């Protein structure tokens, strides 16, 4: 990828298989390139911004060959509509066109071939968005939100991406950066007057401000647990003795929802994860392959897999069999971390009508479906999406979480320096480090190295 050239780039923006397809063209020459193969009422290069033009895409007669009297000079590929965007008021900030044609793969590939012959080149993944970033149309975190928005498959993930895309998140980070810059300028002002031995920046106030900023950074960093869960799906492990009803319960949860159920190739080859959407949040059931092959349970491997699912889960459903369990429920024989949620569930209640359950234990019958709604509510309630739906900043990108961690560490070091009476110039340098780390999230006020850009944008699909 070359983010700095001025080529006119082209790519399909839609996935194959639809009735229509959209091909995007962007770059200084975008409209002139289109005009070489577009036959409409007038020239697209003369068209006003945000106008739509009907016409034909043609393959111009090959130059240099003597025209065959019978053959048509131009071959029509398709009837199209072209939307014209003029710089800088386009997605990329450049002259752009979006050509809507019929959704045939043949038409799309011919269109791309002709556009390339007319002077464009194929775009690499994310190249439209990298141009939008380089032209100041959006910052890095907003560009990343575009990819998240395209990938979003639940209401919560969609909210997460749109909030970030709209820039509320960037504004929060910018506010932090500005406060830090203020501190630095105060310290540097002090340096200018160092001959007179004055301390402009009141050290107590300085510490308080730094601590407040750190608290904010920490809060954002902590929100990553929620953000990541929402983006990837909240990880749930169902554990219990063989025949407790784990597979039956899983099937109920997946089928009754009639929601998106898909197999994802997990990190380990034979781990299968399944997704279901409960009230706008996606839940990801871990290692369901292990649940299905109950005989595996007896093997060492099965046990290890269960333990690994428990370790990775945000929510653990511990399933007990009502026909086996006595009145005192033993504590789980696995460790539950503080940030994990344990739901103890008594299954097969249909076999023990009238049984009263100890407090805090959910009862259900995976077989009849009774009590399933209560379990679903409990799962959903275990994910606090209040902050998200109130538009608070929720970090969902691991690159941002890492940058916040580095900012936090740098700020702790600066606070330490302050305590130890570090000279003003060094203290100011420490705070500049914090500013640097925060700046990498949005890419504002910061020179973003090429490899970072490459890394971010290579995850995009072509045409975005
Ligand atoms: P797993 O080994 O934990 O995955 O358990 P299964 O889901 O394979 O269930 C074991 C057996 O218990 C099967 O015969 C199920 O039909 C039965 N079972 C599961 N849930 C219930 C329930 O709620 N009530 C009754 N009566 N039987 C159940």
């Amino acid at each position: 990828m070359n983010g700095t050239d001025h080529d006119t780039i082209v790519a399909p923006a839609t996935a194959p298989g639809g009735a229509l397809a959209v091909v995007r063209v962007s770059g200084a020459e975008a409209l002139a390139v289109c005009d070489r193969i577009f036959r409409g009422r007038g020239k697209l290069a003369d068209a006003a911004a945000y106008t739509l033009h009907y016409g034909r895409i043609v393959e111009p007669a090959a130059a240099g060959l003597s025209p065959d009297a019978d053959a048509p000079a131009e071959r029509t590929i398709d009837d199209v509509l072209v939307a014209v965007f003029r710089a800088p008021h386009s997605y990329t900030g450049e002259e752009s066109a979006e050509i809507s044609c019929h959704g045939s793969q043949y038409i799309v590939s011919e269109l791309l071939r002709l556009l390339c012959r007319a002077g464009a080149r194929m775009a690499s993944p994310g190249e439209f968005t990298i141009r939008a970033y380089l032209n100041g149309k959006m910052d890095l975190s907003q560009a990343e939100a575009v990819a998240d928005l395209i990938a979003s498959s639940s209401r919560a993930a969609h909210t997460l991406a749109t909030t970030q895309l709209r820039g509320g998140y960037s504004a929060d980070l910018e506010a932090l950066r500005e406060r830090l810059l203020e501190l630095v300028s105060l310290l540097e002002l002090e340096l200018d007057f160092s001959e007179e031995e004055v301390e402009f920046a009141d050290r107590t106030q300085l510490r308080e401000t730094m601590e407040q900023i750190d608290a904010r950074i920490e809060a954002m960093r902590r929100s990553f647990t929620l953000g990541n869960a929402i983006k990837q799906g909240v990880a749930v492990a169902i554990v219990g003795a063989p025949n407790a009803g784990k597979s039956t319960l899983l099937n109920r949860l997946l089928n009754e929802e009639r929601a998106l159920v898909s197999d994802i190739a997990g990190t380990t080859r034979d781990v299968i994860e399944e997704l279901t959407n409960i009230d706008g949040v996606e839940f990801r059931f871990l290692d369901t392959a292990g649940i299905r092959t109950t005989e595996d349970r007896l093997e060492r491997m099965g046990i290890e897999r269960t333990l690994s699912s428990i370790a990775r889960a945000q929510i653990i459903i511990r399933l007990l069999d009502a026909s086996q369990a006595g009145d005192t429920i033993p504590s789980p024989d696995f460790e539950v971390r503080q940030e994990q949620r344990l739901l103890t569930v008594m299954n097969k209640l249909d076999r023990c009508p009238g049984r009263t359950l100890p407090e805090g234990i959910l009862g259900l019958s995976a077989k009849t479906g009774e009590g399933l709604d209560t379990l679903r509510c409990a799962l959903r309630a275990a994910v606090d999406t209040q902050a998200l739906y109130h538009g608070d900043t929720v970090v969902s990108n691991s690159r941002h979480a890492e940058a916040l961690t580095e900012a936090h560490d740098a700020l702790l070091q600066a606070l330490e320096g302050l305590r130890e009476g570090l000279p003003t110039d060094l203290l100011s340098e420490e705070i500049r480090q914090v500013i640097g780390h925060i700046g990498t999230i949005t890419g504002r006020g910061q020179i973003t190295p090429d490899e970072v850009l490459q890394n971010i944008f290579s995850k995009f699909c072509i045409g975005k």
Side-chain angles (χ1 to χ4, degrees):
M1 168 169 25
N2 183 346
T4 50
D5 69 29
H6 297 287
D7 291 353
T8 291
I9 52 172
V10 56
T14 44
L20 295 177
V22 173
V23 168
R24 272 188 153 172
V25 192
S26 183
E29 292 297 307
L31 300 174
V33 165
C34 291
D35 274 330
R36 288 183 195 127
I37 60 164
F38 176 76
R39 300 292 173 262
R41 277 218 182 151
K43 290 250 164 273
L44 297 171
D46 301 331
Y50 307 130
T51 51
L52 203 56
H53 304 266
Y54 173 73
R56 287 178 302 125
I57 294 294
V58 298
E59 171 159 28
L65 293 177
S66 57
D68 182 333
D70 297 328
E74 296 183 330
R75 179 171 77 108
T76 298
I77 305 294
D78 197 12
D79 286 2
V80 297
L81 275 176
V82 183
V84 170
F85 304 87
R86 308 301 303 239
H89 305 293
S90 69
Y91 179 74
T92 53
E94 301 174 327
E95 299 274 283
S96 304
E98 287 180 10
I99 307 175
S100 302
C101 60
H102 291 98
S104 130
Q105 269 314 94
Y106 173 73
I107 292 176
V108 172
S109 63
E110 282 293 274
L111 185 50
L112 294 172
R113 180 178 69 81
L114 293 174
L115 285 166
C116 287
R117 213 168 72 180
R121 71 162 166 83
M122 287 300 292
S124 44
E127 198 167 2
F128 290 88
T129 309
I130 200 171
R131 288 189 177 190
Y133 163 67
L134 291 171
N135 288 327
K137 301 294 287 189
M138 56 176 75
D139 68 32
L140 274 185
S141 77
Q142 288 172 305
E144 287 166 309
V146 172
D148 291 347
L149 186 65
I150 295 172
S152 69
S153 56
S154 66
R155 180 181 162 205
H158 175 259
T159 307
L160 200 60
T162 44
T163 307
Q164 193 173 321
L165 185 58
R166 273 195 238 105
Y169 185 89
S170 312
D172 258 14
L173 290 164
E174 198 52 26
L176 279 186
R177 227 170 66 84
E178 266 166 30
R179 281 184 81 182
L180 287 161
L181 275 170
E182 239 169 69
L183 294 186
V184 168
S185 43
L186 222 69
L187 286 171
E188 287 172 9
L189 191 67
E190 190 179 290
L191 275 179
D192 291 343
F193 289 88
S194 62
E195 303 286 280
E196 289 129 65
E197 301 243 338
V198 274
E199 273 198 0
F200 275 97
D202 171 345
R203 292 300 191 249
T204 318
Q205 209 189 334
L206 187 62
R207 165 167 309 114
E208 274 169 18
T209 310
M210 281 163 74
E211 281 167 355
Q212 279 167 13
I213 293 174
D214 189 46
R216 190 70 204 111
I217 291 175
E218 273 297 273
M220 286 173 110
R221 196 166 72 117
R222 270 198 306 274
S223 74
F224 181 63
T225 311
L226 171 69
N228 192 47
I230 284 173
K231 198 157 110 176
Q232 314 285 345
V234 180
V236 185
I238 306 180
V239 295
N243 289 325
K246 298 181 293 298
S247 319
T248 316
L249 175 64
L250 180 71
N251 282 333
R252 274 276 174 197
L253 284 168
L254 296 177
N255 298 336
E256 287 218 342
E257 265 308 304
R258 288 185 207 298
L260 181 72
V261 179
S262 64
D263 290 348
I264 293 177
T267 39
T268 328
R269 229 176 314 150
D270 57 348
V271 170
I272 297 177
E273 298 181 347
E274 279 166 296
L275 301 171
T276 190
N277 189 308
I278 301 175
D279 189 21
V281 173
E282 200 147 68
F283 290 81
R284 189 160 50 93
F285 293 92
L286 299 176
D287 192 15
T288 53
I291 295 179
R292 295 227 156 112
T293 51
T294 34
E295 38 315 352
D296 255 20
R297 291 271 158 250
L298 304 174
E299 293 168 14
R300 175 108 203 100
M301 230 179 79
I303 295 165
E304 268 167 21
R305 280 202 333 210
T306 307
L307 288 177
S308 130
S309 294
I310 291 173
R312 287 184 298 137
Q314 267 120 10
I315 304 174
I316 304 162
I317 299 180
R318 183 183 172 217
L319 200 61
L320 304 167
D321 183 336
S323 59
Q324 309 276 323
D327 281 338
T328 41
I329 308 297
S331 340
D333 52 2
F334 48 83
E335 190 204 344
V336 180
R337 295 195 307 275
Q338 204 194 346
E339 70 276 14
Q340 290 179 310
R341 223 9 232 288
L342 176 71
L343 297 175
T344 305
V345 177
M346 187 79 82
N347 187 28
K348 310 197 187 179
L349 276 193
D350 56 303
R351 285 206 184 158
C352 319
R355 175 162 182 172
T356 49
L357 294 173
E359 215 188 296
I361 301 218
L362 297 173
L364 56 83
S365 164
K367 193 170 188 173
T368 66
E370 194 197 325
L372 250 288
D373 279 342
T374 317
L375 175 61
R376 252 187 234 116
C377 286
L379 281 170
R380 180 62 184 82
V383 187
D384 184 2
T385 45
Q386 281 255 351
L388 177 67
Y389 292 133
H390 279 108
D392 289 2
T393 293
V394 176
V395 176
S396 66
N397 185 304
S398 53
R399 188 182 74 82
H400 303 177
E402 275 161 32
L404 288 168
T405 304
E406 288 183 45
H408 165 72
D409 292 346
L411 198 49
L412 285 189
Q413 204 170 317
L415 275 164
E416 176 79 25
L418 184 62
R419 241 188 317 275
E420 289 174 359
L422 200 67
T424 307
D425 52 344
L426 295 180
L427 189 59
S428 146
E429 188 44 46
E430 296 273 356
I431 298 176
R432 281 197 179 278
Q433 298 279 333
V434 185
I435 297 174
H437 292 305
I438 291 182
T440 61
I441 301 179
T442 58
R444 269 194 211 144
Q446 183 87 6
I447 295 167
T448 311
D450 263 358
E451 81 247 42
V452 174
L453 290 183
Q454 167 84 43
N455 194 11
I456 295 171
F457 289 96
S458 62
K459 292 181 199 121
F460 273 63
C461 44
I462 303 249
K464 200 63 215 181

